[in-house]
């Protein structure tokens, strides 16, 4: 532990950097070349042929020293930039004043997201007619080539792929020297590793969630945060709720009734079942927590997102980005063992299925079985996710994927409240029955089709189908005698099945109107949901005493008395334009129109069957502006709206349907790329949810409601993500949220929203030794603070604040890694939330847990 905390920046810099850099150079550079006698005269020694990379450390050092001979003390002026297409790829040519050579250190070459980047020191860009150079769509797979002045004496060359990292050869030429920007296939660099787990490291400069186009985060007028796969690996995260707790503005309440993540974003629920979760940009509905086995990263888009994603809550959405099939063979396996009888195994396989590498596959699968600190709560999950990619030509690709989940977990409603605090009983005490259980079988299948008409125009079509059969069985709490501790309970069972169809088509085009560049997105979305659940509830079940529980162990029949037969559908049309008025001034404009229809049928015996129909529409705009005073700093402001249809069975007193709930947000912020691999976002927002239902003051019976309620959330957020120094990674956040009721006819105006703390903070950092005999040894430290918060909308009870400490110790050697993770290191008793503000369903946090993992890649 002290190794990770005690090392100072000064001591890190004092490591044997010369040796570390030499090793990195040997791994990173693909081709360092020289040609003809001009090079010999300048260097004094002929460099090796262009096609032959350095194969030993000595060779590399010789090449580096020869290259250094051409450097000058005074900065070299770059007077012209040219981009030329060649048979095997692209040449980026830098011409200098009087043909002076540039001092190029290939250790400054790297891959970030879909970009190849080269930083050239001791150089000044002085073009005749512009401050920077930009070439749009120079080839089919390259979207942009930019050459800019990074700082007073450094030039940056940035080559960005249209969809993925460019695979064709990209060569940087200056004078008689030529350098490959492409990482060598199979090479594993200490900072940039492209393997089956994607790019290792915490730095994530781009996101596709906020705009449905691959856009640098610095150019997005809003707050979008990425949790990379490496964070999930380092923290041994298996639940999305735990992963996104690294992001500011997120309230992770734990698991609703033991099986589903309860997540709130900027004060509003982000639900897996209500459509605020997306999988590769496609809406996904699920009971229970999504599996993380096949995830490459998690992207969190904050604020109203209806412009691109339709009907969602105003707090934001979570997009799960899955692992993709790889062109080169990759095989990985891991085994985890932990306390509470935890055992988990996972396998990740990928590679080509033919010699031409036009058919690629990927298979992720895992099995997990575990006990719990909660009495009688056991968990089992089997997950399988195959995927195939077909390259149907140079311009067309098709990816097919599927997933299957078989889940079983103890149905657990948690603890209860006495007075204004959770009851003083052991956190492991179970208040349901030993047979209580949630189970689910879920199957999903889909495809992603991409076709490029030209360098500037393309189309993408996504489709996904899901079917699931969840079952919940166990008594539920009804009322508590806080004096005696007697908890009244009733029978509950729910079954049936759910089906979802979703398709989304985008046309993306790039064009210019004069000097103004546009990236236009036009989209069409259709979704249909069929729900046929069955219920049994309301029948008395023996009570239990919370202080001295005696379990009845009486199973009851699963005979339904309630049915629903619902069909809902949505059609959405949207358009978005990303406009570059100037290289450092960008606008984002968009609007969407949705129509939606609900047909709902209810039958609760002995009441007669009821049918409801509702149709409506909504328009949602979004506007944003980004100004970059420098390439590494962005100032932004935005306005966005959201909508969510009301449930068709909810009616006004005159039996008319409710209007959709709407959300409205104003946001400003600043983003900074603090170092080449560290990015920070500071955001301030004001978010209002309108058309919230509240009691009708003119209805003496109290049965009817009207839509005059309103809630508001406003706050400030800070997120930091990336690499501080080689081997030292960090993901950190803090947030202040003031989330209150601002209009209501029953609840006091000014009350806090339930489960939303005013202050949260998180820090997770790891350090891995880069050189010497201890190379590969690393430590991790996590700190999480959640302030006290109200447990219900009436503000009748409070969940106390807590401070949790996590830690990790790991050792990486060649392709093997051993890892030890401890969560809640100091065994702090805490409560993560209350299920929808229910005094009878308080969720306790886990005590000290520990797990060991061994993994291998080859």
């Amino acid at each position: 532990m002290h190794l990770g905390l005690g090392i100072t920046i000064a001591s890190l810099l004092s490591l044997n950097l010369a040796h570390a850099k030499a090793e990195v150079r040997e791994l990173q550079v693909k081709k360092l070349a020289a040609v003809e006698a001009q090079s010999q005269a300048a260097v004094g020694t002929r460099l090796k042929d262009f096609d032959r990379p350095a194969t030993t450390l000595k060779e590399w050092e010789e090449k580096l020293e020869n290259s250094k001979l051409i450097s000058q003390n005074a900065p070299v002026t770059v007077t012209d930039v040219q981009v030329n297409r060649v048979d095997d790829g692209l040449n980026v040519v830098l011409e200098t004043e009087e043909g002076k050579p540039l001092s190029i250190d290939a250790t400054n070459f790297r891959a970030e997201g879909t970009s190849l980047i080269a930083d050239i020191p001791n150089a000044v860009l002085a073009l005749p007619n512009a401050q920077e150079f930009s070439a749009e769509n120079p080839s089919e797979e390259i979207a942009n080539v930019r050459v800019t002045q990074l700082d007073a004496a450094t030039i940056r060359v940035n080559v960005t792929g249209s969809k993925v990292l460019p695979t064709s050869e990209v060569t940087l030429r200056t004078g008689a020297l030529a350098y490959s920007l492409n990482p060598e296939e199979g090479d594993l660099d200490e900072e940039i590793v492209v393997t089956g787990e994607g790019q290792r490291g915490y730095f994530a400069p781009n996101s596709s969630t906020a705009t449905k186009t691959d856009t640098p985060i610095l150019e997005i007028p809003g707050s979008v945060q990425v949790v990379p796969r490496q964070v999930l690996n380092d923290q041994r995260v298996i639940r999305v709720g735990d992963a996104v707790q690294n992001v500011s503005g997120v309230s992770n309440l734990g698991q609703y009734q033991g099986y589903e993540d309860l997540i709130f974003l900027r004060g509003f629920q982000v639900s897996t079942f209500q459509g605020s979760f997306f999988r590769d940009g496609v809406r996904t509905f699920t009971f229970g927590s999504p599996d993380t086995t096949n995830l490459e990263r998690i992207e969190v888009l904050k604020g109203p997102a209806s412009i691109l994603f339709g009907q969602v809550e105003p707090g934001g959405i979570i997009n799960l980005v899955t692992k993709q099939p790889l062109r080169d063979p990759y095989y990985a396996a891991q085994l985890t063992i932990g306390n509470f009888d935890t055992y988990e195994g996972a396998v990740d396989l990928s590679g080509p299925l033919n010699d031409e590498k036009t058919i690629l596959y990927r298979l992720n699968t895992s099995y997990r079985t575990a006990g719990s600190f909660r009495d009688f709560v056991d968990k089992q999950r089997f997950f399988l996710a195959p995927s195939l990619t077909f390259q149907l030509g140079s311009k067309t690709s098709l990816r097919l994927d599927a997933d299957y989940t078989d889940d079983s977990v103890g149905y657990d409603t948690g603890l209860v409240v006495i007075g204004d605090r959770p009851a003083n009983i052991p956190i492991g005490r179970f208040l349901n029955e030993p047979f209580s259980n949630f189970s689910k079988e879920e199957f999903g299948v889909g495809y992603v089709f991409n076709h490029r008409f030209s360098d500037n125009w393309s189309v993408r079509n996504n489709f996904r189908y899901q079917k699931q059969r969840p079952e919940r069985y166990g008594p539920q709490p009804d009322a508590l005698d806080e004096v005696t501790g007697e908890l009244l309970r009733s029978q509950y069972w729910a079954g049936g099945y759910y089906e979802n169809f979703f398709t989304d088509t985008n046309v993306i085009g790039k064009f210019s109107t004069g000097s103004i560049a546009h990236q236009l997105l036009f989209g069409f979305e259709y979704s249909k949901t069929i729900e046929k659940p069955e219920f049994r509830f309301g029948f008395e079940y023996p009570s239990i005493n919370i202080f001295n529980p005696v379990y009845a162990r009486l199973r009851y029949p699963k005979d339904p008395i309630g049915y629903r037969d619902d069909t809902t559908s949505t059609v959405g049309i949207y358009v978005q334009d990303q406009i570059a008025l100037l290289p450092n001034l960008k606008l984002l404009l968009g609007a969407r129109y949705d129509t939606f229809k609900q047909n709902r049928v209810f039958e609760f015996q002995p009441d007669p069957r009821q049918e409801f129909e509702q149709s409506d529409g909504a328009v949602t705009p979004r506007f944003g502006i980004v100004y970059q005073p420098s390439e590494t700093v962005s100032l932004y402001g935005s306005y966005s709206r959201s909508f969510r249809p009301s449930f068709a069975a909810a009616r006004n007193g005159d039996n008319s349907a409710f209007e959709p709930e709407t959300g409205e947000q104003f946001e400003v912020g600043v983003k900074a790329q603090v170092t080449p691999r560290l990015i920070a976002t500071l955001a301030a927002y004001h978010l209002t949810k309108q058309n919230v239902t509240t009691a009708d003051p003119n209805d003496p019976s109290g049965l009817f409601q009207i839509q005059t309620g309103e809630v508001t959330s406003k706050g400030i957020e800070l997120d930091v993500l990336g690499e501080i120094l080689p081997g030292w990674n960090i993901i950190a956040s803090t947030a202040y949220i003031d989330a209150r009721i601002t209009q209501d006819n029953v609840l006091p105006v000014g009350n806090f929203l339930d489960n939303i703390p005013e202050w949260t903070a998180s820090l997770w950092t790891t350090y891995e030794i880069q050189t010497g005999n201890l190379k590969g040894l690393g430590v991790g430290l996590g700190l999480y603070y959640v302030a006290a918060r109200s447990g219900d909308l009436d503000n009748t009870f409070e969940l106390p604040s807590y401070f949790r400490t996590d830690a990790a110790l790991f050792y990486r050697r060649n392709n093997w890694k051993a890892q030890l993770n401890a969560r809640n290191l100091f065994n702090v008793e805490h409560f993560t939330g209350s299920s929808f503000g229910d005094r009878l369903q308080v969720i306790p946090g886990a005590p000290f847990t520990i797990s060991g993992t061994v993994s291998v890649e080859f």
Side-chain angles (χ1 to χ4, degrees):
M1 178 66 65
H2 295 293
L3 178 62
L5 290 176
I7 294 180
T8 65
I9 293 177
S11 64
L12 285 172
L13 291 174
S14 68
L15 294 173
N16 190 346
L17 294 181
H19 180 61
K21 288 183 178 180
E23 290 184 324
V24 171
R25 288 163 185 160
E26 182 181 5
L27 294 169
Q28 187 178 29
V29 174
K30 181 179 182 182
K31 298 172 183 175
L32 174 63
V35 292
E36 309 307 336
Q38 179 182 358
S39 171
Q40 298 180 40
V43 177
T45 303
R46 179 179 176 84
L47 299 183
K48 302 301 181 184
D49 293 337
F50 178 77
D51 288 327
R52 179 171 181 257
T55 57
T56 67
L57 180 58
K58 183 177 179 181
E59 269 188 46
W60 168 250
E61 289 175 338
E62 290 175 355
K63 290 172 180 276
L64 182 63
E65 290 305 314
N66 288 334
S67 177
K68 286 181 177 179
L69 290 175
I70 65 175
S71 64
Q72 307 293 323
N73 291 328
V76 177
T77 301
V78 175
T79 57
D80 193 20
V81 180
Q82 298 178 17
V83 174
N84 303 321
R85 295 186 66 167
V86 293
D87 291 340
D88 61 345
L90 204 69
N91 285 344
V92 180
V93 182
L94 303 182
E95 296 185 2
T96 62
E97 185 179 40
E98 300 178 353
K100 292 180 180 178
L102 290 166
S103 176
I104 294 182
D105 186 346
T107 60
N108 292 328
F109 295 4
R110 63 184 183 277
E112 291 181 359
T114 61
S115 296
L116 300 171
I117 297 175
D119 290 338
I120 303 171
N122 205 35
V124 175
L125 192 62
L127 304 180
N129 299 314
Q131 294 181 342
E132 67 177 39
F133 173 86
S134 179
E136 302 291 331
N137 303 300
S139 70
E140 291 181 358
E141 72 163 5
I142 295 177
N144 182 273
V145 176
R146 294 181 66 193
V147 183
T148 58
Q149 192 75 45
L150 182 62
D151 57 34
T154 306
I155 288 176
R156 170 167 293 178
V157 178
N158 189 316
V159 181
T160 302
S162 298
K163 299 292 183 184
V164 296
L165 197 69
T167 57
S168 61
E169 185 69 29
V170 179
T171 304
L172 176 64
R173 292 185 177 274
T174 172
L177 300 178
Y179 303 83
S180 172
L181 269 66
N182 303 80
E184 175 71 4
E185 293 185 8
D187 280 351
L188 302 182
D189 176 88
E190 292 297 327
E191 297 181 342
I192 304 298
V193 181
V194 181
T195 70
E197 293 294 352
Q199 179 178 311
R200 281 206 178 110
Y202 287 16
F203 184 58
N206 287 30
S207 169
S208 60
T209 299
T211 61
K212 287 195 175 179
T213 63
D214 192 37
T215 303
I217 287 177
L218 288 179
E219 298 180 8
I220 297 172
S223 182
V224 57
Q225 303 302 324
V226 179
V227 183
R229 179 73 215 183
Q230 192 64 45
V231 174
L232 274 63
N233 289 343
D234 290 349
Q235 296 180 344
R236 284 300 304 139
V237 163
I238 60 171
R239 286 176 37 209
V240 173
D242 290 334
V244 298
Q245 194 170 10
N246 294 288
V247 176
S248 68
V250 171
S251 301
N252 175 24
L253 276 59
Q255 290 199 294
Y256 169 66
Q257 297 185 343
Y259 66 87
E260 182 172 343
D261 285 331
L262 267 181
I263 302 170
F264 283 68
L265 183 53
R266 288 186 171 176
F268 300 96
Q269 187 184 8
V270 182
S271 170
T272 56
F273 182 66
Q274 294 180 348
S276 294
F277 269 67
F278 291 77
R279 182 181 183 271
D280 296 328
V282 178
R283 191 185 305 274
T284 181
F285 295 87
T286 183
F287 282 86
S289 301
D291 205 282
T292 61
T293 302
N294 68 329
L295 296 188
E296 183 65 43
R297 63 185 184 276
I298 300 172
E299 298 189 355
V300 180
L301 175 60
K302 303 178 187 178
S306 287
I307 169 64
L308 296 180
F309 298 102
Q311 45 187 297
V312 293
E313 287 287 332
I317 64 106
I318 294 175
N319 187 28
L320 310 176
V321 182
T322 61
K323 300 175 182 177
Q324 305 300 303
L326 303 173
R327 289 176 55 83
D328 297 313
Y330 172 78
Y331 313 101
Q334 69 176 30
L335 174 66
T336 299
I337 300 176
N339 60 341
F340 304 116
D341 295 321
T342 298
Y343 303 92
E344 180 182 6
V347 174
D348 184 359
L349 311 174
S350 189
L353 291 177
N354 61 350
D355 293 338
E356 295 78 16
K357 297 186 178 181
T358 58
I359 305 177
L360 313 175
Y361 81 95
R362 190 144 195 177
L363 178 66
N364 284 275
T365 184
S366 64
Y367 176 75
R368 176 181 172 83
T369 178
S372 170
F373 71 98
R374 301 281 293 152
D375 297 337
F376 307 110
V377 175
D378 296 318
K379 304 176 182 180
Q380 279 188 323
R381 169 173 284 191
F382 172 71
F383 177 75
L384 179 68
S387 179
L388 285 173
T389 294
F390 298 87
Q391 193 65 42
L392 304 178
S394 61
K395 298 183 178 180
T396 307
S397 67
L398 174 67
R399 177 167 60 86
L400 307 178
D401 58 57
D403 58 84
Y404 172 78
T405 305
D406 187 351
D407 237 349
S408 177
V409 61
Y411 183 68
D412 180 12
T413 55
L415 300 179
V416 297
V417 171
I418 293 180
D420 61 355
R421 291 289 189 277
N424 185 22
I425 57 178
I427 62 169
R429 182 156 295 168
F430 190 62
L431 301 179
N432 299 90
E433 285 291 313
F435 61 79
S436 298
N437 188 255
F438 164 83
S439 63
K440 176 191 69 171
E441 269 196 300
E442 179 181 337
F443 172 74
V445 63
Y447 69 78
V448 181
F449 173 81
N450 285 284
H451 176 71
R452 180 170 293 278
F453 299 107
S454 66
D455 289 345
N456 293 326
W457 289 92
S458 62
V459 63
R460 177 178 61 234
N461 175 241
N462 291 0
F463 171 80
R464 181 161 175 80
Y465 166 77
Q466 285 177 283
K467 185 172 183 177
Q468 53 191 321
R469 290 184 173 275
E471 182 181 70
R472 291 161 285 175
Y473 182 54
Q476 289 204 111
D478 286 339
L480 174 68
D481 186 325
E482 296 188 5
V483 177
T484 66
E486 202 68 18
L487 180 66
L488 302 182
R489 302 182 296 174
S490 61
Q491 299 177 17
Y492 182 77
W493 171 80
Y497 74 90
Y498 300 76
E499 286 184 284
N500 303 287
F501 303 82
F502 188 95
T503 182
D504 183 38
T505 302
N506 300 146
V507 176
I508 303 171
K510 297 179 181 179
F511 60 93
S512 297
T513 54
S515 62
I516 299 175
H518 300 260
Q519 182 167 237
L520 185 68
L521 172 74
F522 176 81
F524 173 82
E525 175 189 305
Y526 172 76
S527 64
K528 182 178 181 179
T529 300
I530 299 171
E531 300 179 2
K532 295 182 180 293
E534 302 173 337
F535 305 94
R536 178 182 179 86
F537 58 89
F539 296 95
E540 185 177 345
Y541 192 84
S543 63
I544 192 171
N545 192 282
I546 67 170
F547 301 118
N548 185 27
V550 177
Y551 299 101
R553 302 178 186 269
L554 297 175
R555 294 178 179 266
Y556 47 87
K558 299 178 181 180
D559 299 331
I561 64 165
Y563 307 85
R564 281 200 292 115
D565 187 354
D566 300 347
T567 301
T568 63
S569 60
T570 301
V571 175
I573 300 174
Y574 55 94
V575 62
Q576 171 187 274
D577 194 6
Q578 294 172 261
I579 306 170
L581 298 175
L582 296 170
N584 63 344
L585 181 62
K586 299 175 175 66
L587 294 180
L588 178 66
L589 308 176
R592 179 185 178 114
Y593 176 69
D594 285 86
T595 62
F596 37 89
K597 184 177 181 179
Q598 303 180 54
N599 293 281
R600 299 189 183 271
V601 178
F602 293 80
E603 184 177 347
F604 295 107
Q605 300 171 357
D607 297 332
R609 176 186 177 97
Q610 298 182 71
E611 297 186 19
F612 300 90
E613 286 192 4
Q614 179 176 328
S615 299
D616 213 332
V619 176
T620 47
R622 177 168 70 163
F623 311 101
I625 186 170
V626 176
Y627 171 66
Q628 295 180 271
S630 70
E631 187 179 346
T632 58
V633 176
S634 296
L635 309 176
Y636 74 88
S638 65
Y639 169 82
S640 55
R641 291 185 61 85
S642 67
F643 79 96
R644 183 170 180 81
S646 61
F647 196 67
R651 299 275 161 160
N652 289 296
D654 60 0
N655 204 37
S656 62
F658 286 135
E659 297 290 326
E661 293 181 334
T662 59
E664 181 180 56
Q665 177 182 270
F666 297 89
E667 180 176 335
V668 295
V670 58
K671 303 177 185 182
Q673 194 164 335
V674 183
T675 71
R677 295 184 56 78
L678 184 69
I679 192 169
T681 301
L682 177 65
Y685 68 91
H686 188 284
L687 176 57
T688 304
K689 183 178 180 180
Q690 300 145 334
N691 287 348
V692 179
T693 56
T694 181
D696 186 347
N698 298 317
D699 172 34
S701 69
L703 298 177
F704 298 110
Q705 294 185 312
I706 57 176
Q707 288 185 289
T708 59
E710 180 184 271
V711 294
T712 299
S713 173
K714 52 189 176 181
I716 300 175
E717 302 166 342
L718 174 65
D719 290 270
V720 179
L721 174 70
E723 185 181 66
I724 300 174
L725 289 172
W728 185 4
N729 290 314
I730 185 173
I731 182 170
S733 71
T734 186
Y736 168 77
I737 304 178
D738 184 7
R740 299 174 184 262
I741 297 169
T742 47
Q743 291 183 28
D744 200 276
N745 294 329
V746 175
L747 297 169
V749 172
N751 270 18
F752 291 104
L753 299 188
D754 61 279
N755 288 288
I756 309 303
E758 284 192 283
W759 285 100
T760 57
S762 69
L763 166 68
W764 173 262
T765 183
T766 63
Y767 178 71
E768 181 177 341
I769 297 174
Q770 302 293 290
T771 61
N773 295 331
L774 296 179
K775 178 181 177 181
L777 180 65
V779 294
L781 175 69
L783 304 173
Y784 299 89
Y785 171 73
V786 177
R789 60 267 184 229
S790 174
D792 62 357
L793 288 175
D794 288 308
N795 292 182
T796 62
F797 72 97
E798 183 178 85
L799 300 174
S801 64
Y802 67 88
F803 188 94
R804 193 187 83 225
T805 303
D806 298 349
L809 178 67
F810 58 90
Y811 180 67
R812 191 194 317 272
R813 189 69 175 177
N814 298 324
N815 59 333
W816 288 88
K817 183 179 180 181
Q819 181 171 330
L820 192 67
N821 285 81
R823 185 179 173 90
N824 196 359
L825 189 63
F826 301 111
N827 201 31
V828 174
E829 183 174 289
H830 63 290
F831 300 90
T832 56
S834 61
S835 296
F836 302 104
D838 190 343
R839 294 175 61 90
L840 305 181
Q841 297 194 53
V842 174
I843 306 170
F848 170 75
T849 59
I850 190 168
S851 65
T853 301
V854 176
S855 59
V856 60
E857 297 178 354
F858 51 93

